[in-house]
Amino acid sequence: MKPRLLVTGGAGFLGSHLLHQAANFSATGTLHRTAATSIPDVSFHVCDLQQPQEVRILLDRVKPEIIIHTACSDQGENLSAIAPAAALLAAQAAERGIRFIHLSTDQVFDGMTAPYHEGSEMNPINPYGTAKFQAEDLVRSLHTKATIVRTSLLYDLRIPDRQTKQLIQTTKTEEPYNLFTDEFRCPIWVENLAEVLLELAQDDYAGILNVGGPESLNRWDLGMKLLQHFDVLPTPNIKKGTIEESGLVRPQNLTLDLSTAQQLLATPLLSLDEAKKAVKKMQKEA
Ligand SMILES: NC(=O)c1ccc[n+]([C@@H]2O[C@H](COP(=O)([O-])OP(=O)(O)OC[C@H]3O[C@@H](n4cnc5c(N)ncnc54)[C@H](OP(=O)(O)O)[C@@H]3O)[C@@H](O)[C@H]2O)c1
């Protein structure tokens, strides 16, 4: 019998990749407003994860052994769902003895004292980071065996992700577009992160785990690498910029210390160039 896995945010970017890769599980995804594309052997349940009664009904029906909670990101206007949904799911999972993996972000940090390890002090400087910081605190106190995966920017190499799509679109216009040279992240290929999460689903690691790509890249370098991957030439309207010049409040350096994950996981954390090679190999084998 395959273990029963519930993925929240089943129509989201990470959630849908997880469900596509979850062949070793009996997998169910939650839907909210967006319809999912059908995935072989995956069932879906509509649920507002802020509603206690809906969450109880969902868990009674699916009876998951593992929950990977990807729902509630920085998209849409609903940052206020992040902490309550995480708390509801963590409390229910603890009560029912369900393994719980919660997705968090490098944006719980202020970007002033990188690299950040699992024990570094959180100090969010934007509303999204603050909501995810509150969610982490609630999850830790309500489910002591939960795994909190702090990750970085997610990108895709098959179909351009949201931000890459926007960048590609900008090459077809004359609209000015600045890519920061002073904002550093550890971007990770979404399929690589999904593989890590499915490995963790079968593990009993409890506590925080940083999971990102092994190189710290600034936004300009990441944007240029992704444009090149999708065979799009950068246009003169795409320029180097800095956070300081922009006047925006954004964490500058969110480089993660990945040593715990690198020792723990059988799944290697891939750089963008390694991820490109992996995609090419998969495409040749298909
Ligand atoms: N993408 C990144 O670069 C990145 C980086 C660091 C961390 N993360 C974290 O990784 C996780 C996955 O991110 P993602 O990019 O895959 O997110 P996403 O594509 O925006 O998906 C989020 C999903 O949450 C669902 N959702 C929102 N409110 C809900 C509610 N009240 N009840 C039920 N479902 C609800 C949305 O459904 P509807 O659209 O139908 O409302 C959507 O399917 C998030 O926790 C995010 O914070 C992402």
Side-chain angles (χ1 to χ4, degrees):
M1 280 274 278
K2 293 177 177 179
R4 288 183 302 278
L5 168 69
L6 177 69
V7 174
T8 69
F13 181 46
L14 175 59
S16 55
H17 278 91
L18 264 167
L19 290 168
H20 274 285
Q21 290 174 233
N24 293 334
F25 297 81
S26 167
T28 302
T30 70
L31 298 179
H32 184 224
R33 295 187 183 126
T34 312
T37 51
S38 110
I39 304 174
D41 300 323
V42 172
S43 50
F44 288 97
H45 285 255
V46 175
C47 179
D48 181 346
L49 296 167
Q50 289 189 91
Q51 301 302 328
Q53 188 58 9
E54 291 189 31
V55 170
R56 277 190 217 103
I57 292 170
L58 169 78
L59 299 182
D60 288 346
R61 283 197 187 147
V62 178
K63 297 191 173 44
E65 292 157 274
I66 308 139
I67 298 174
I68 305 181
H69 176 42
T70 80
C72 306
S73 64
D74 58 347
Q75 294 303 302
E77 72 295 348
N78 205 2
L79 289 184
S80 61
I82 290 176
L88 251 176
L89 280 167
Q92 283 291 315
E95 202 179 302
R96 296 168 190 240
I98 302 169
R99 169 132 181 74
F100 188 61
I101 301 175
H102 170 77
L103 265 294
S104 189
T105 171
D106 51 6
Q107 295 202 53
V108 294
F109 299 116
D110 58 17
M112 305 292 285
T113 55
Y116 293 100
H117 58 84
E118 282 79 0
S120 298
E121 199 180 328
M122 292 186 276
N123 184 29
I125 59 168
N126 61 34
Y128 170 60
T130 303
K132 289 299 243 187
F133 160 76
Q134 288 163 348
E136 279 199 21
D137 260 3
L138 288 162
V139 169
R140 259 203 308 270
S141 64
L142 292 165
H143 195 317
T144 51
K145 292 181 181 162
T147 307
I148 294 172
V149 171
R150 277 195 196 132
T151 193
S152 182
L153 274 181
L154 311 183
Y155 62 85
D156 195 4
L157 294 174
R158 298 185 201 263
I159 300 169
D161 53 84
R162 259 184 315 251
Q163 287 180 353
T164 309
K165 219 178 271 170
Q166 199 186 342
L167 182 59
I168 292 172
Q169 191 53 37
T170 307
T171 65
K172 297 172 187 153
T173 70
E174 287 179 4
E175 213 178 291
Y177 195 95
N178 284 347
L179 287 169
F180 298 139
T181 52
D182 58 350
E183 180 180 323
F184 290 86
R185 311 284 291 269
C186 291
I188 181 165
W189 179 32
V190 64
E191 289 185 30
N192 190 198
L193 177 61
E195 198 182 337
V196 166
L197 293 168
L198 294 170
E199 180 185 338
L200 286 170
Q202 306 268 39
D203 195 286
D204 58 3
Y205 179 88
I208 298 164
L209 190 66
N210 289 346
V211 180
E215 26 171 31
S216 178
L217 289 176
N218 67 36
R219 288 280 192 163
W220 169 265
D221 288 338
L222 176 63
M224 290 303 118
K225 276 176 183 270
L226 288 170
L227 281 184
Q228 189 194 32
H229 173 73
F230 288 108
D231 288 327
V232 178
L233 285 175
T235 47
N237 56 326
I238 300 175
K239 293 199 164 72
K240 290 182 178 175
T242 62
I243 296 178
E244 204 174 325
E245 284 160 12
S246 76
L248 295 171
V249 178
R250 294 174 70 91
Q252 272 200 331
N253 187 347
L254 291 176
T255 302
L256 297 172
D257 177 330
L258 302 170
S259 51
T260 306
Q262 283 163 330
Q263 280 162 33
L264 176 80
L265 297 167
T267 307
L269 299 178
L270 304 178
S271 67
L272 206 150
D273 290 338
E274 288 165 338
K276 278 187 188 181
K277 276 189 201 147
V279 174
K280 277 198 187 131
K281 193 165 169 248
M282 285 181 208
Q283 283 166 342
K284 262 192 199 156
E285 285 166 2

